[in-house]
Amino acid sequence: MPAIDVVDETFLAVPRERVATVFADPAAWSRFWPDLDVELMTDRGAQGVRWTVVGERVGTMEVWLEQVLDGTVLHYFLRVDPAGRDRRRTRAEIRRDARADRDEGRRRQRDAKRIAFALKRDLEGGRPAGEPPEHREKRQRNENRHG
């Protein structure tokens, strides 16, 4: 089991193709995860992206986009270990490392939710609760016809 194992999911009331365009942009990766060095493993198009994590942390990261009803469930997975950790450690070092990994995992979990909620805010664009994802486009078309 990896030292840091983060799993998160958030519903976004937008089509998954729209969410996929955000993660398809390599410039976004360093904005979302400035302290992780990621290399593209698999671009799955509208289904998401998989990365290899290299550098201080090594492992894998994935964004899986699942179309659900009229929106998308953003699934996020981060599974990493600290690079170069010596396997021959004292019990005190093992306990210290376990606490540090737990704290890092919690921080990464909060970061995952922060990213997901920022995407909700930006991509849903003020969509009132209960309105379908296309509400802005429909409203704009109606305003253009009547205004």
Side-chain angles (χ1 to χ4, degrees):
M1 184 167 147
I4 297 166
D5 188 6
V6 176
V7 177
D8 187 69
E9 50 188 34
T10 304
F11 181 78
L12 304 165
V14 294
R16 76 176 174 178
E17 291 78 14
R18 194 158 163 216
V19 182
T21 61
V22 172
F23 292 104
D25 178 9
W29 307 345
S30 61
R31 283 194 316 272
F32 291 145
W33 306 287
D35 59 339
L36 290 179
D37 295 320
V38 297
E39 297 174 354
L40 180 65
M41 182 190 319
T42 309
D43 181 346
R44 299 173 60 223
Q47 292 180 341
V49 181
R50 293 182 183 144
W51 298 270
T52 300
V53 181
V54 297
E56 284 187 38
R57 306 256 180 224
V58 293
T60 61
M61 184 168 67
E62 177 178 1
V63 167
W64 169 40
L65 304 174
E66 178 185 15
Q67 188 73 41
V68 175
L69 301 173
D70 61 352
T72 305
V73 175
L74 165 61
H75 300 272
Y76 172 74
F77 306 94
L78 175 67
R79 295 183 171 104
V80 294
D81 290 299
R85 182 177 278 173
D86 188 355
R87 295 197 184 273
R88 295 170 288 154
R89 298 172 286 161
T90 67
R91 287 183 188 205
E93 290 170 327
I94 291 170
R95 283 192 302 274
R96 182 201 63 217
D97 291 344
R99 277 191 305 275
D101 293 342
R102 186 178 55 246
D103 292 346
E104 179 70 6
R106 287 178 181 150
R107 182 181 75 80
R108 299 263 178 209
Q109 185 71 44
R110 286 189 305 271
D111 286 349
K113 200 49 87 176
R114 179 184 45 77
I115 291 166
F117 285 158
L119 287 173
K120 276 185 83 61
R121 182 190 63 239
D122 295 345
L123 297 178
E124 290 180 4
R127 178 191 62 84
E131 290 288 331
E134 301 83 21
H135 82 283
R136 283 194 314 176
E137 292 82 8
K138 288 179 184 175
R139 189 174 349 134
Q140 287 171 344
R141 282 193 304 268
N142 286 338
E143 287 172 0
N144 290 339
R145 264 188 276 160
H146 297 86

